[in-house]
């Protein structure tokens, strides 16, 4: 059940995408449109299904030194597809474009190991407001790691990045196989943002349907 907490951001992204597409194209939003928008916001994570089916969970760590964001998490592909889609069917195309871009925005700052935003120029992963060890300070302190990491690894930077080769080494050492509890069962700046966005998306969806 707690795994649902990690999906609230994607649900919010889908709701916001429907509202945005309706406003942009002047289309009347119907309730079932949200049942389309939410899966669209989750579709970049289809590359996590093989791991989920095999392991029953998704997590990059020493136990599983592989991050699923290597098959579909290339924003440029979704932007190009979304623009083409919006040209032929504006409402649904803009919904797809907004839903997937919001998904990547969430991946850019959230709990994972960033995304290759500059692909195909480079496979380097980038993340906003993070540490190279990719853990919140509270988690590092709780595990007794805060004082043992170098000073430069403690700093919360505007943008951090990992090359393709060094990413796996960082995952092996600092990845969390059981990451939902430390991030979503405790209030921190990441879970706080996602919970607030979820509430705002529900309000936006309600207003859109009622008014």
């Amino acid at each position: 059940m707690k795994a649902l907490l990690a999906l609230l951001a994607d649900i919010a992204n889908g709701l916001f995408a429907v509202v945005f597409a309706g406003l942009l194209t002047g289309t009347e939003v119907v309730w079932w449109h949200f049942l389309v928008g939410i899966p669209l916001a989750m579709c970049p994570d289809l590359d996590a299904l093989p791991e989920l089916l095999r392991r029953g969970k998704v997590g990059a760590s020493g136990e599983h030194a592989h991050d699923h964001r290597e098959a579909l998490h290339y924003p440029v592909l979704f932007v190009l597809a979304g623009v083409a889609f919006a040209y032929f069917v504006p409402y649904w195309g803009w919904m797809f474009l907004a839903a997937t871009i919001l998904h990547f925005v969430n991946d850019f700052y959230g709990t994972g190991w960033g995304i290759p935003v500059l692909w195909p120029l480079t496979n380097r992963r980038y993340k906003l407001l993070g540490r190279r060890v990719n853990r919140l300070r509270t988690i590092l302190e709780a595990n007794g790691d805060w004082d043992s990491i170098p000073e430069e690894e403690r700093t919360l930077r505007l943008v951090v990045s990992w090359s393709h080769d060094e990413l796996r080494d960082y995952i092996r050492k600092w990845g969390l196989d059981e990451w939902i509890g430390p991030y979503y069962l405790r209030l921190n700046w990441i879970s706080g943002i996602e919970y607030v966005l979820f509430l705002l998306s529900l309000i936006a969806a309600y207003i859109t349907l009622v008014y």
Side-chain angles (χ1 to χ4, degrees), residues 122-139:
T122 176
N123 279 327
R124 194 171 187 87
R125 295 283 192 94
Y126 293 88
K127 183 173 181 178
L128 186 69
L129 293 176
R131 297 179 177 87
R132 297 250 294 165
V133 296
N134 199 32
R135 290 190 184 183
L136 293 172
R137 177 170 180 167
T138 53
I139 297 175

Side-chain angles (χ1 to χ4, degrees), residues 68-119:
H68 73 273
R69 298 183 180 97
E70 292 185 357
L72 293 177
H73 282 69
Y74 300 102
V76 65
L77 297 180
F78 284 83
V79 170
L80 292 175
V83 169
F85 195 13
Y87 179 80
F88 293 103
V89 277
Y91 176 59
W92 300 105
W94 280 109
M95 187 189 301
F96 172 84
L97 190 60
T100 53
I101 287 178
L102 287 174
H103 178 104
F104 290 126
V105 169
N106 178 248
D107 283 350
F108 193 38
Y109 75 82
T111 58
W113 291 88
I115 54 175
V117 292
L118 298 181
W119 184 90

Side-chain angles (χ1 to χ4, degrees), residues 137 140-151 154 174:
R137 177 170 180 167
L140 289 166
E141 290 178 336
N143 294 340
D145 294 318
W146 179 256
D147 292 330
S148 65
I149 61 175
E151 185 67 32
R154 298 180 190 178
W174 298 105

Side-chain angles (χ1 to χ4, degrees), residues 109-201:
Y109 75 82
T111 58
W113 291 88
I115 54 175
V117 292
L118 298 181
W119 184 90
L121 299 177
T122 176
N123 279 327
R124 194 171 187 87
R125 295 283 192 94
Y126 293 88
K127 183 173 181 178
L128 186 69
L129 293 176
R131 297 179 177 87
R132 297 250 294 165
V133 296
N134 199 32
R135 290 190 184 183
L136 293 172
R137 177 170 180 167
T138 53
I139 297 175
L140 289 166
E141 290 178 336
N143 294 340
D145 294 318
W146 179 256
D147 292 330
S148 65
I149 61 175
E151 185 67 32
E152 61 269 19
E153 297 282 20
R154 298 180 190 178
T155 304
L156 190 66
R157 302 179 184 176
L158 179 61
V159 178
V160 293
S161 68
W162 304 267
S163 70
H164 185 269
D165 292 333
E166 67 184 353
L167 179 64
R168 186 154 298 184
D169 292 333
Y170 270 85
I171 288 175
R172 286 195 180 100
K173 186 172 183 179
W174 298 105
L176 290 172
D177 209 47
E178 301 293 341
W179 52 275
I180 295 178
Y183 278 93
Y184 291 101
L185 295 183
R186 302 172 185 173
L187 189 61
N188 52 72
W189 72 269
I190 293 177
S191 63
I193 288 174
E194 295 187 7
Y195 294 159
V196 168
L197 288 176
F198 176 69
L199 292 175
L200 291 176
S201 71

Side-chain angles (χ1 to χ4, degrees), residues 13-116:
N13 293 336
L15 298 180
F16 279 132
V18 174
V19 173
F20 170 77
L23 291 173
L24 186 66
T25 63
T27 302
E28 181 179 358
V29 174
V30 184
W31 67 268
W32 62 267
H33 293 177
F34 293 107
L35 301 182
V36 177
I38 293 172
L40 288 180
M42 296 180 177
C43 71
D45 277 338
L46 287 173
D47 56 12
L49 282 181
E51 181 185 348
L52 180 62
L53 294 174
R54 186 174 66 255
R55 303 177 66 225
K57 60 183 176 181
V58 177
S61 67
E63 299 176 34
H64 181 76
H66 173 76
D67 184 52
H68 73 273
R69 298 183 180 97
E70 292 185 357
L72 293 177
H73 282 69
Y74 300 102
V76 65
L77 297 180
F78 284 83
V79 170
L80 292 175
V83 169
F85 195 13
Y87 179 80
F88 293 103
V89 277
Y91 176 59
W92 300 105
W94 280 109
M95 187 189 301
F96 172 84
L97 190 60
T100 53
I101 287 178
L102 287 174
H103 178 104
F104 290 126
V105 169
N106 178 248
D107 283 350
F108 193 38
Y109 75 82
T111 58
W113 291 88
I115 54 175

